[in-house]
Amino acid sequence: NGPVVIVGAGHGGYQVAASLRQAGFAEPISLINDEAHLPYQRPPLSKAYIKGSAGPESLMFRPEKFYQDQKIELIAGRAVSIDRVGHKVLLASGATLPYGHLVLATGARNRLLDLPNANLPDVRYLRILDDSEALRQIMPSKKRAVIIGAGFIGLEFAATARIKGLEVDVLELAPRVMARAVTAEVSEYFQERHREAGIRIHLGVQATSIEAENGKVTGVSLSDGRHLPADLVVVGVGVLPNIELAADAGLPVAAGIIVDEYLSTVDPDISAIGDCALFASPRFGSSLRLESVQNATDHARCLAARLTGDRKPYDSHPWFWSDQGDDKLQIAGLTTGYDRVVLRGSPAKKAFSAFCYHGDRLLGIESINRAGDHMFGRRLQSMDRSITPEQAADESFDLKSALA
Ligand code: FAD
């Protein structure tokens, strides 16, 4: 009971506010927003937004009028501390906001590169709209980009930069791209596709220094002794969850703000959702912290339902996507822990899916340009069903029959 205060107006924060109103929640809602824009979609920042010329308003979830009509108070500023006893949030401006329920939707921030010259203006990161906007502005004057980190964001940006005509080198410490997130088959496919596009991918190497002259980047030195010329460096070496506000308030944190299967912290009046939350998952039998739009928005919906009287554990099936050049990767389920991969379709034809199994249990499906397989995987998982590895590999097996 009482006002809901939401810290962070990203995917999760926005969605809790919208879902609360949709469910008829009538108390005040405040959404604390430390970015200088209305709440917006993040995925296009490394893809369509950088490539195109549409303005920032093309990314907004809703126009300003929506917040006025829905009586969602957008508060510009940053939450700096929580008074759990007094049920108040303190803002950097000195203002305090009383809460009945507090939602921490603080997301994550970029892991910074710890190298000399890493703070020069030609060394960039991608997390917020201002980062993407700045890159879009400076790219026309740049010729050679070195991208540090071949995760989703590094590779999405690499593909975009190449399309924009830049020479592109990508450095990755692991022996394959996106190694933490996808199977070797999918890594190999994307390595090949990016190479075909003219991107040079260097695996098993690290950046050891960034060289500059008169404050302008001139290149990057690698752990194998090579030196790559560059006038732009983009760093995508992962993120750190924003847990400090919770930790300073005495809430348990580890690799995220610790919440139970209802997304509640140990304080029943404080919940955490999205990228910042390390949540107990009965389905996966462990604690998870996921970084995806699906996770943030489904967390938000689950929490809004609980706050309006429909208390259920969070049990959504994870899914994800990444657009890299002309290829669309979609992942249904969590594929970590697989011991067998079965391909359906053909990498040579640029359309295939990797069905990932642990024993005979289907953990998830990584699809490339096979949206039908992806949707099939999501429906199959929502029905808690599986198909055998033999059926998955057999293109004449009708997937729909498994859903009947
Ligand atoms: P966020 O959206 O990060 O929002 C958190 C907000 O809280 C931020 O605005 C932050 O500034 C604010 N905040 C933090 N601390 C405070 C404070 N103390 N006071 C006030 N405000 C605060 N996911 C996909 O599924 N598919 C994709 O293709 C994809 N592409 C991506 C591309 C890029 C470039 C990036 C950066 C992410 C991408 N993601 C993608 C991931 C996805 O955007 C995130 O998982 C999602 O945004 C998480 O939502 P969230 O609400 O938890 O955090």
Side-chain angles (χ1 to χ4, degrees), residues 221-236:
S221 292
L222 313 191
S223 47
D224 61 6
R226 282 182 297 153
H227 175 84
L228 299 173
D231 53 10
L232 175 66
V233 173
V234 174
V235 185

Side-chain angles (χ1 to χ4, degrees), residues 46 143-172 177 189-203 226 228 323-327:
S46 46
K143 293 195 166 51
R144 293 196 63 136
V146 168
I147 290 145
I148 302 180
F152 294 116
I153 291 175
L155 291 178
E156 288 174 0
F157 177 76
T160 306
R162 187 71 195 127
I163 290 166
K164 289 266 201 194
L166 275 75
E167 293 285 319
V168 179
D169 289 272
V170 178
L171 312 183
E172 172 56 53
V177 302
Y189 175 81
F190 276 99
Q191 281 159 207
E192 193 47 42
R193 292 287 286 152
H194 288 304
R195 283 178 175 142
E196 276 169 24
I199 295 169
R200 290 174 291 266
I201 297 182
H202 311 272
L203 300 170
R226 282 182 297 153
L228 299 173
D323 298 327
Q324 300 180 23
D326 292 335
D327 292 302

Side-chain angles (χ1 to χ4, degrees), residues 6-14 32-35 40-47 61 75 77-80 91 105-110 126-128 152-153 156 239 242 245 273-277 290-297 319-323:
I6 304 161
V7 184
H11 280 267
Y14 158 77
I32 305 175
N33 182 10
D34 71 346
E35 296 191 53
Y40 63 88
Q41 303 169 56
R42 239 172 258 293
L45 299 183
S46 46
K47 326 175 177 67
F61 296 122
I75 296 182
R78 214 177 145 68
V80 290
L91 303 186
T106 49
R109 61 181 180 274
N110 286 311
L126 256 173
R127 177 79 200 174
I128 61 172
F152 294 116
I153 291 175
E156 288 174 0
V239 298
N242 292 321
L245 195 60
I273 60 167
D275 281 14
C276 70
L290 300 176
E291 293 160 14
S292 73
V293 167
Q294 172 279 322
N295 181 67
T297 52
W319 57 268
F320 182 78
W321 82 95
S322 171
D323 298 327

Side-chain angles (χ1 to χ4, degrees), residues 57-74:
E57 54 304 329
S58 65
L59 299 175
M60 304 309 166
F61 296 122
R62 301 287 188 139
E64 194 156 7
K65 187 169 180 310
F66 168 83
Y67 301 93
Q68 290 157 2
D69 292 350
Q70 295 292 316
K71 297 198 166 42
I72 296 169
E73 194 186 357
L74 275 174

Side-chain angles (χ1 to χ4, degrees), residues 335-394:
T335 54
T336 34
Y338 64 88
D339 54 19
R340 181 171 178 192
V341 178
V342 176
L343 294 192
R344 186 177 178 92
S346 150
K349 291 191 178 146
K350 304 185 178 66
F352 71 102
S353 292
F355 284 64
C356 302
Y357 287 87
H358 182 78
D360 279 342
R361 194 159 57 88
L362 179 62
L363 301 177
I365 306 174
E366 300 167 358
S367 301
I368 287 136
N369 306 324
R370 297 257 298 197
D373 289 358
H374 175 69
M375 291 315 294
F376 162 77
R378 283 170 54 185
R379 286 190 60 196
L380 192 75
Q381 290 181 333
S382 71
M383 297 164 95
D384 280 325
R385 291 191 189 166
S386 187
I387 60 170
T388 67
E390 293 69 32
Q391 288 169 330
D394 176 5

